[in-house]
Amino acid sequence: MEYTLQPLGDQAVIIELGDEISNDIQKKIHLVTAYLDAEAPSWIIEYIPAFTTITIFYEPMMLARLCNHQVLPFEYACKLIDDLLKTITGNKLAEPRVVKIPVCYGGEFGPDLETVAKINGLTTDEVIHIHAGGDYSVFMIGFAPGFPFIGGMSESIAAPRRDTPRLKIPARTVGIAGMQTGVYPIETPGGWQLIGRTPIELFRPDDEIPSLLHAGDKVQFFPISLEEYKEWENDNK
């Protein structure tokens, strides 16, 4: 496993596993994070996976004691991370969790569906069919609480961000930006092209783990009617 280690301030190390977004890099990130989920050393405060990196926040005073103050905490953290990465090389990942998300496409929920269709020379029904038929993986959670950056979308429905972001996007709105798709878990400004909305809550602040989706999850979207959306929403109140 090839990687580089870089400091982030005086309490974190960035593990850089590549310089471009790809499924291979994501597999390496998920391999490392799966190990950390199961056996994180006590000197690690937390870790944050991203598109091509994992940032590990550490307890510098604990590391200083562990190395008897012979080297700087960052240097010792790098040594321990090197040892950790050598340990997990070659391990196999467990099967990813599959999360199915219903989407009511178009109408007031997806005001940019026609725009995405026109950009790609498609009908709105074709956009829905392609989007709902994608093989998706959650690359990372970020931007807003529980916001999933989802890769694997077909290039045939790719669309650029809007020139002027909206000031308010309703929670649970599904969008497209470039070759990615995602769901706004909370009301927030944003510039993605909006194609639909799900009745499923992606951010659940009262739960111990508030984000429905996690990096490494597989996602399957499926279309529902407006009537089904309202029924689903009522059932979950």
Side-chain angles (χ1 to χ4, degrees):
M1 184 184 298
E2 294 184 2
Y3 60 89
T4 61
L5 303 178
Q6 303 290 337
L8 179 64
D10 58 1
Q11 296 187 36
V13 178
I14 299 174
I15 306 172
E16 187 169 351
L17 292 157
D19 57 6
E20 61 181 22
I21 300 172
S22 71
N23 287 328
D24 287 341
I25 297 299
Q26 281 293 304
K27 287 179 181 178
K28 292 178 181 178
I29 288 174
H30 299 155
L31 188 64
V32 175
T33 57
Y35 179 90
L36 293 175
D37 282 341
E39 302 183 45
S42 59
W43 53 269
I44 292 180
I45 298 172
E46 66 175 330
Y47 68 87
I48 302 174
F51 286 121
T52 62
T53 64
I54 304 169
T55 300
I56 294 182
F57 291 86
Y58 57 82
E59 173 50 65
M61 295 307 296
M62 181 182 293
L63 289 179
R65 290 193 296 270
L66 288 173
C67 70
N68 294 319
H69 301 276
Q70 294 181 0
V71 296
L72 293 173
F74 169 74
E75 294 174 341
Y76 196 54
C78 288
K79 177 189 179 302
L80 294 177
I81 291 170
D82 278 327
D83 294 342
L84 182 150
L85 293 176
K86 290 174 184 175
T87 300
I88 64 176
T89 298
N91 287 5
K92 292 184 178 179
L93 280 170
E95 286 296 314
R97 187 177 63 138
V98 178
V99 181
K100 297 182 179 181
I101 298 179
V103 180
C104 182
Y105 289 94
E108 64 175 302
F109 293 159
D112 300 324
L113 180 62
E114 290 189 8
T115 299
V116 172
K118 289 178 181 177
I119 288 172
N120 292 285
L122 302 170
T123 66
T124 54
D125 285 344
E126 287 173 326
V127 173
I128 294 170
H129 178 74
I130 294 169
H131 187 268
D135 181 18
Y136 298 108
S137 297
V138 179
F139 279 179
M140 63 173 284
I141 304 295
F143 167 65
F147 187 100
F149 289 85
I150 301 172
M153 192 183 73
S154 171
E155 187 176 0
S156 63
I157 57 172
R161 287 174 171 80
R162 288 168 50 87
D163 292 335
T164 303
R166 292 180 171 92
L167 296 180
K168 288 185 179 180
I169 293 177
R172 309 191 308 276
T173 299
V174 179
I176 287 175
M179 288 281 290
Q180 293 185 100
T181 187
V183 185
Y184 288 85
I186 61 175
E187 183 182 279
T188 179
W192 290 36
Q193 305 285 356
L194 310 181
I195 62 170
R197 193 176 303 168
T198 177
I200 301 296
E201 295 287 353
L202 270 72
F203 181 60
R204 306 167 181 191
D206 294 331
D207 291 357
E208 182 178 355
I209 301 177
S211 177
L212 172 65
L213 296 175
H214 312 128
D217 286 346
K218 290 287 187 180
V219 174
Q220 294 177 357
F221 294 106
F222 63 94
I224 58 174
S225 67
L226 179 59
E227 290 72 22
E228 290 172 316
Y229 176 95
K230 291 179 179 178
E231 290 175 5
W232 203 303
E233 198 173 41
N234 289 333
D235 289 343
N236 287 277
K237 284 184 177 179

